[in-house]
Amino acid sequence: MDYYARVCRFVEEVRAVRTEAELIRLVTEILNEFGFQHFALVSHVDLVAPPEGTVRIINYPSIWKARSAEQRYYADDPVLLTAQRLALPFTWDDIPRHIDLTRRQRVILDEAKLAGLPAGYTVPIHVPGQISGSCTFVYEPGSVDPACFPAAHYVGIYAFNAALKLSGRSAAAKAGRVRLTNRQRECLSLAARGKSDWSIGQLLTLSQQTVHMHIELAKGRYNVSSRVEAVVRALFDGELAFADILKSDTPADDDH
């Protein structure tokens, strides 16, 4: 499967979404195609009684949702705790390397497996000035090609931002549309393809420091902490299209 081409179609479809039900349908479709069985898009708040304007979209098995609410597992959930501490995505197998699991947290993971949540890939969401969140995609071991994880990273952040936008509480909804310079767009699109600052500089005939400056300025305009989040916000605003990310490494002839 061409994962990024599929994400490109997902992005275009999500731009037309007007309801949470539509968003859930689109997220479910693409994740099932990638091999994931369940997902959760959540703000890191009281998930039993989440405040207005936060995200809580969970399609976990009903038995687990009831058990988790009854035991208030969200307060000690090792997945959420790890997501709060990390900036980059992680698999659930990585969790013991990042936090010292308590007995209760080991029980949570063990019970989750029995309830049909055996393995997961989690994308932390950290936006300055907003409540942190995360996107988690659950799968059976061996059912998902790890090559899809980078594409799932984009799906998670884009879906979470779409959910926030529907709530009217996203940074994008508050700040309005941001305009990037040509160089900022070029640098972001190349960074989205996994290029280093040095490689981008070679392609654009810029110094590594200048490339870094353009990307940091783009992040600053969107008030985000990572390059992936800046790319997602640029996609939301129409400043980037997935075609920009997928095309060959031939830069346009623009001024710096």
Side-chain angles (χ1 to χ4, degrees):
M1 175 186 289
D2 186 336
Y3 294 115
Y4 282 99
R6 181 62 182 90
V7 172
C8 181
R9 179 156 62 90
F10 171 76
V11 167
E12 293 304 317
E13 292 170 339
V14 170
R15 281 179 175 156
V17 160
R18 295 293 179 268
T19 68
E20 185 176 288
E22 292 175 22
L23 177 62
I24 291 172
R25 177 180 61 80
L26 293 175
V27 173
T28 301
E29 286 178 359
I30 189 170
L31 293 180
N32 286 348
E33 289 175 29
F34 284 9
F36 297 101
Q37 283 83 44
H38 302 285
F39 69 90
L41 312 177
V42 297
S43 299
H44 293 170
V45 294
D46 183 340
L47 294 179
V48 176
E52 184 178 351
T54 54
V55 174
R56 184 185 181 278
I57 301 177
I58 304 171
N59 81 339
Y60 288 171
S62 298
I63 188 173
W64 175 250
K65 289 194 287 187
R67 175 67 173 170
S68 182
E70 175 190 349
Q71 298 296 319
R72 299 184 71 83
Y73 277 162
Y74 68 86
D76 301 290
D77 190 323
V79 175
L80 300 185
L81 178 59
T82 304
Q84 289 169 357
R85 294 186 178 184
L86 298 183
L88 297 177
F90 58 92
T91 65
W92 289 2
D93 287 340
D94 296 329
I95 291 175
R97 292 197 285 271
H98 298 294
I99 64 173
D100 294 324
L101 291 170
T102 64
R103 182 178 179 279
R104 177 175 167 85
Q105 288 169 334
R106 293 184 186 279
V107 167
I108 291 172
L109 291 175
D110 288 342
E111 289 190 4
K113 287 180 181 180
L114 293 174
L117 305 173
Y121 176 75
T122 297
V123 179
I125 306 290
H126 301 294
V127 178
Q130 292 196 37
I131 296 171
S132 294
S134 57
C135 310
T136 291
F137 309 134
V138 177
Y139 58 96
E140 290 286 343
S143 68
V144 170
D145 180 357
C148 81
F149 285 167
H153 189 178
Y154 279 103
V155 171
I157 294 181
Y158 204 88
F160 189 90
N161 274 274
L164 268 183
K165 188 175 182 181
L166 288 174
S167 76
R169 293 293 297 274
S170 70
K174 292 179 179 180
R177 181 169 178 172
V178 168
R179 294 289 186 181
L180 300 177
T181 66
N182 289 334
R183 281 304 191 202
Q184 288 167 359
R185 282 193 294 271
E186 286 181 329
C187 290
L188 269 187
S189 65
L190 289 168
R193 286 178 245 169
K195 303 294 183 184
S196 67
D197 290 352
W198 182 87
S199 296
I200 296 171
Q202 294 297 301
L203 289 167
L204 300 180
T205 321
L206 300 172
S207 71
Q208 183 174 339
Q209 292 75 20
T210 299
V211 170
H212 183 76
M213 176 194 71
H214 283 307
I215 293 176
E216 289 302 304
L217 287 172
K219 287 165 57 180
R221 289 192 179 195
Y222 284 121
N223 193 31
V224 296
S225 58
S226 76
R227 296 182 178 204
V228 172
E229 288 170 315
V231 169
V232 168
R233 288 288 305 280
L235 288 167
F236 255 112
D237 282 354
E239 288 293 291
L240 284 182
F242 252 95
D244 298 321
I245 298 172
L246 298 172
K247 68 184 180 182
S248 62
D249 300 332
T250 305
D253 224 356
D254 293 318
D255 293 335
H256 293 192

